[in-house]
Amino acid sequence: MPKNKLERFAELQTFPNCIYMSYQKAFDDRFELKGKWNAGHFRNANPIILELGCGKGEYTVGLARRYPHRNIIGVDIKGNRIWVGAKAALDEKLDNAAFLRARIDFIDSAFASNEVSEIWITFPDPQPTRKGEKKRLTSPRFLERYKKILGPGGIIHLKTDSVLLYEYTLEIIRENKLGLIDSTNDLYGSHTSTAREEVKSIRTYYEAGYLAKGMKINYLAFAL
């Protein structure tokens, strides 16, 4: 019988690969793992990669499988979804995968300067209304937060079914003179994209659904 939300929340608290950052610790900037993820959790010095708005953690788990010598952290506020990825990582004994239950607004309270090497944003809410623009995960408001935690040469990846979010992000990159590394509005049909293999080989639950409907997937990689 499938577990309900309350059962998942209770079990999630016992998972050693899942960490919760309270609002109070975020506001007070006293989260205990900030600047200490490698030493305090992973017990190694490997590069850290984030999946923001990770949902069920398909990319977090997929990247952890592909890169055993990198530490992958999925970030999302919804524990019911995180449970799926966290449970899969535990079952597969993926010690390089972890999950942080926190609001992405507070990402710079969870990680220190230069602590992160790469960020993946996979199928986020495009926030299509004008009012929701500041909530887009590629808006200047969020990019300023990422800038505080990304190390030199750090890359941001965006995969989305939303043409609006894709074009919006391209405009933000142009306006702020950021380093565009790759872009395509048809990831699986483009012959010009230089996207790395993990961009295509790891698919989220939503992505699989979009592709089944014949929808195109947009992809961007850029540096701050």
Side-chain angles (χ1 to χ4, degrees), residues 58-59 62-63 66 159 198-204 207:
E58 292 100 330
Y59 248 84
L63 289 171
R66 181 178 284 270
K159 284 180 81 174
E198 73 265 36
V199 180
K200 298 180 180 180
S201 63
I202 303 171
R203 298 181 184 181
T204 70
E207 183 175 6

Side-chain angles (χ1 to χ4, degrees), residues 117 119 143 146-147 150-157 169 172-174 176-182 220-224:
S117 67
I119 291 175
L143 294 185
Y146 308 154
K147 191 180 293 184
L150 273 172
I155 298 172
I156 298 174
H157 304 265
T169 306
I172 292 296
I173 291 170
R174 284 192 289 264
N176 292 275
K177 297 180 172 60
L178 304 178
L180 180 62
I181 298 168
D182 191 16
L220 280 171
F222 61 100
L224 299 179

Side-chain angles (χ1 to χ4, degrees), residues 65-78:
R65 289 178 186 137
R66 181 178 284 270
Y67 298 114
H69 300 299
R70 298 183 193 179
N71 299 324
I72 320 296
I73 303 172
V75 184
D76 206 303
I77 192 60
K78 297 184 178 179

Side-chain angles (χ1 to χ4, degrees), residues 2-13:
K3 293 178 182 294
N4 62 35
K5 286 187 178 181
L6 291 179
E7 289 177 316
R8 286 187 173 187
F9 280 132
E11 190 171 14
L12 200 61
Q13 294 177 23

Side-chain angles (χ1 to χ4, degrees), residues 32-101:
E32 56 273 12
L33 283 177
K34 181 177 181 177
K36 301 175 183 176
W37 277 93
N38 278 346
H41 181 78
F42 292 108
R43 310 287 195 234
N44 61 48
N46 295 334
I48 291 175
I49 299 174
L50 305 184
E51 182 195 4
L52 301 183
C54 69
K56 296 180 180 181
E58 292 100 330
Y59 248 84
T60 300
V61 173
L63 289 171
R65 289 178 186 137
R66 181 178 284 270
Y67 298 114
H69 300 299
R70 298 183 193 179
N71 299 324
I72 320 296
I73 303 172
V75 184
D76 206 303
I77 192 60
K78 297 184 178 179
N80 184 48
R81 294 180 181 177
I82 282 180
W83 180 90
V84 177
K87 181 71 163 58
L90 287 177
D91 289 345
E92 293 186 38
K93 296 181 171 56
L94 295 172
D95 295 333
N96 62 325
F99 290 83
L100 173 64
R101 190 171 167 227

Side-chain angles (χ1 to χ4, degrees), residues 104-156:
I104 298 171
D105 307 62
F106 304 137
I107 198 68
D108 50 331
S109 293
F111 299 91
S113 176
N114 299 328
E115 193 169 15
V116 175
S117 67
E118 215 166 319
I119 291 175
W120 286 82
I121 304 172
T122 53
F123 299 92
D125 184 340
Q127 301 289 345
T129 67
R130 189 76 174 175
K131 187 176 180 181
E133 181 178 342
K134 66 180 181 180
K135 296 180 181 179
R136 294 173 188 164
L137 293 186
T138 55
S139 70
R141 172 172 168 256
F142 279 99
L143 294 185
E144 283 301 313
R145 287 177 166 84
Y146 308 154
K147 191 180 293 184
K148 293 178 182 178
I149 65 175
L150 273 172
I155 298 172
I156 298 174

